[in-house]
Amino acid sequence: MPLSARLRSAWRQRGPLALALWPLSLPYRALAALRRALYRQGVLRSERLPVPVIVVGNVIAGGAGKTPVTLALVRHLRATGWQPGVVSRGYGRAGDGCREVLPASTAAEAGDEPLLIARAAGVPVFVARRRAEAGRALLAAHPATDVIVCDDGLQHLALARDVEICVFNDEGVGNGFLLPAGPLREPWPRAVDAVLHAAPQPPRGTRAPAFRLARQLAPCAIDAQGRQVPLASLRGQPLHAVAAIARPEDFFAMLRARGLTLAHCEALPDHYDFNSWQRLPDKGQTLICTEKDAVKLWPAHPGALAVPLQLGLPPEFFARLDASLSSAP
């Protein structure tokens, strides 16, 4: 079993491996606490932007569904009269300077998730190592923007925020240990404005208002030209499924649940760049992937089909978000 798979398995319970790694989590806990204290005491300062900021993030390592949540928030904000913009670090891109992400950008320039957001949401997107710098640049270039959504920034305390949303996958907090003994990036519970969770029950210890999110694949895949291909039309065909995400097995399981035949499943490291990737010699197998992977696959493999992930969020969550924004300074 690969090391990453062994760790993820160990993170689900407080077994021998997790307990052996637990002493290594203590310095991590101490550093996290020191960093928070320095911000709380003003030694390190958070920068506040002139518009409300919503931070979407998680406290666990690996995928929790932050980017689909960001897309859902942006669509809701636009539908209710806001003019949102998105900032992100742009993980996996070359360099860490500040730049605008355009639909014609590449994943190497922007990062795969910001590029997906720019193409799918149609709102201004900027990336920078310091998210406040990205926010300033976005507002200067697009002054009509009146709210900013930060994709993956819960631990980025240098950016002040008005609303914090913490997203959990169906594994919750796992064994409750911090890295590397468990999946937590910081101690849980911690104060946030809302929790979104994929499991039937909120993660243990949750004190904030919690809302369950439903995840399913869209009924249609999308090709490189934006044309829709019903998944039902692919039933009975041998498919080559590829996923370079934190939990690729989830994607494969959801494809099978749609009645698709996966002749081959290829799990690659999260944010894999696909520069040296070669598909299987059997060209008769249709290549199917996630939206995040498609922005990197399509330049060399335009025949690949991307399947969007759809989120169902309860109206009560959006009502709370609207109320929080209305009271933001």
Side-chain angles (χ1 to χ4, degrees):
M1 181 185 295
L3 179 59
S4 59
R6 287 189 63 198
L7 277 177
R8 283 194 51 197
S9 177
W11 288 349
R12 296 190 182 102
Q13 57 188 346
R14 297 187 175 184
L17 180 56
L19 292 172
L21 292 172
W22 178 77
L24 299 179
S25 72
L26 298 180
Y28 190 93
R29 177 184 291 270
L31 287 173
L34 173 62
R35 184 167 169 271
R36 279 200 166 273
L38 292 175
Y39 274 101
R40 189 168 54 248
Q41 295 168 11
V43 178
L44 298 176
R45 295 186 178 277
S46 300
E47 182 174 346
R48 180 163 292 280
L49 298 175
V51 299
V53 172
I54 304 168
V55 167
V56 179
N58 63 4
V59 294
I60 59 170
K66 299 180 298 295
T67 298
V69 169
T70 296
L71 284 168
L73 292 183
V74 167
R75 288 165 181 151
H76 169 78
L77 291 167
R78 293 185 72 181
T80 51
W82 291 88
Q83 297 191 56
V86 175
V87 298
S88 176
R89 176 184 177 184
Y91 186 85
R93 66 192 176 104
D96 57 7
C98 182
R99 66 175 298 147
E100 183 168 13
V101 182
L102 302 171
S105 299
T106 66
E109 295 168 338
D112 48 19
E113 289 162 340
L115 181 55
L116 168 59
I117 293 169
R119 291 180 177 177
V123 299
V125 179
F126 275 70
V127 292
R129 185 180 63 84
R130 291 184 61 85
R131 275 54 142 209
E133 180 184 4
R136 291 195 307 271
L138 189 155
L139 293 172
H142 302 274
T145 301
D146 54 12
V147 61
I148 284 179
V149 182
C150 179
D151 180 43
D152 192 11
L154 209 59
Q155 288 79 39
H156 187 70
L157 303 180
L159 175 64
R161 66 283 313 266
D162 300 282
V163 180
E164 286 188 318
I165 299 168
C166 189
V167 186
F168 286 92
N169 59 34
D170 55 9
E171 294 180 354
V173 296
N175 61 17
F177 286 160
L178 269 67
L179 293 166
L184 290 177
R185 298 177 177 182
E186 58 178 311
W188 182 263
R190 60 128 46 224
V192 294
D193 295 284
V195 166
L196 295 174
H197 58 96
Q201 299 298 323
R204 63 179 180 271
T206 296
R207 298 168 185 165
F211 307 90
R212 189 176 183 189
L213 54 83
R215 300 186 296 178
Q216 64 176 5
L217 295 181
C220 292
I222 302 169
D223 67 13
Q225 289 72 45
R227 295 186 294 255
Q228 293 190 343
V229 179
L231 293 185
S233 71
L234 301 175
R235 290 174 184 160
Q237 300 182 31
L239 303 176
H240 176 186
V242 60
I245 56 178
R247 290 161 46 111
E249 65 277 5
D250 288 1
F251 178 63
F252 303 146
M254 295 172 88
L255 289 173
R256 293 190 182 99
R258 285 282 188 177
L260 302 184
T261 301
L262 305 186
H264 186 73
C265 295
E266 190 170 358
L268 296 166
D270 195 11
H271 299 286
Y272 183 74
D273 62 18
F274 286 96
N275 287 338
S276 60
W277 182 81
Q278 297 291 326
R279 67 168 299 165
L280 292 174
D282 187 353
K283 298 295 196 281
Q285 296 180 7
T286 299
L287 187 61
I288 195 163
C289 64
T290 70
E291 277 191 300
K292 186 171 87 168
D293 296 322
V295 300
K296 294 170 289 188
L297 268 172
W298 277 336
H301 303 277
L305 298 177
V307 188
L309 180 66
Q310 292 183 334
L311 290 187
L313 295 170
E316 295 80 9
F317 165 73
F318 288 118
R320 183 170 184 85
L321 174 67
D322 295 341
S324 298
L325 287 176
S326 67
S327 60

